[in-house]
Amino acid sequence: GVQSHADAVADMEPVLFEGAKQQGEEAFTAVVVMLPGILAVENHGGLSGDPMVLAEFVQHIHSPHLGVCLDLGNFESDRAIGMQTLAPHAIHVHAKSREFNAQGDETQIDYGTCMSTLKSAGYAGAISIEYEGDGDPVIGITRTRELIEMYA
């Protein structure tokens, strides 16, 4: 059957915290280096891949030490709705890019809409670039940075 968002949030909580407990402090090493004292859950498939479930999870835990690592490229359904749902909870952002058209726009991600949504949500934190294209990574990273700066 279809799982409700509340049930999915309830399922996610013990999985996340039990996994962290089993790994001990090492489970938090990357997050602590990136965001000292804060755990950022990325929208990256599974339970965290559903923006509503991830947003409800963060709201349910209601801690200043928990937020979303918002990856612009990790949406299985409507990116605009996912962005609107998760941007208010974002504490870090991954700007993913793969391919650019002749005008310099990313072919799969509308950076204008994404940056506008982040700005409207009050996000003013870091944005890390993840270029996953086949071309020269220096060019891909540079083009992604130009898009971020153009729409920021």
Side-chain angles (χ1 to χ4, degrees):
V2 176
Q3 188 177 30
S4 74
H5 289 301
D7 289 341
V9 168
D11 287 350
M12 189 176 183
E13 185 175 354
V15 169
L16 177 66
F17 290 106
E18 185 59 31
K21 188 169 80 175
Q22 287 176 0
Q23 295 296 319
E25 291 182 17
E26 291 179 18
F28 295 96
T29 302
V31 176
V32 170
V33 169
M34 182 175 68
L35 303 163
I38 298 175
L39 176 64
V41 181
E42 185 172 342
N43 57 313
H44 196 277
L47 292 172
S48 71
D50 182 328
M52 289 299 298
V53 170
L54 182 52
E56 287 180 28
F57 175 71
V58 171
Q59 291 168 352
H60 173 73
I61 300 299
H62 192 67
S63 169
H65 304 288
L66 177 68
V68 171
C69 177
L70 181 54
D71 191 318
L72 306 183
N74 286 351
F75 289 98
E76 297 171 8
S77 57
D78 190 311
R79 186 179 327 276
I81 292 172
M83 286 289 301
Q84 291 171 357
T85 303
L86 295 179
H89 307 288
I91 56 176
H92 189 69
V93 173
H94 291 173
K96 194 165 281 176
S97 58
R98 292 180 183 89
E99 186 178 352
F100 302 89
N101 62 23
Q103 293 76 36
D105 292 315
E106 213 286 334
T107 60
Q108 310 247 332
I109 299 171
D110 179 348
Y111 269 81
T113 299
C114 289
M115 298 309 294
S116 174
T117 302
L118 287 168
K119 190 174 186 177
S120 294
Y123 184 78
I127 299 175
S128 62
I129 297 171
E130 291 184 26
Y131 177 68
E132 297 181 349
D134 293 331
D136 182 341
V138 173
I139 294 171
I141 291 167
T142 301
R143 287 182 175 170
T144 306
R145 180 179 176 182
E146 289 169 353
L147 285 172
I148 293 167
E149 290 174 344
M150 179 177 11
Y151 294 114

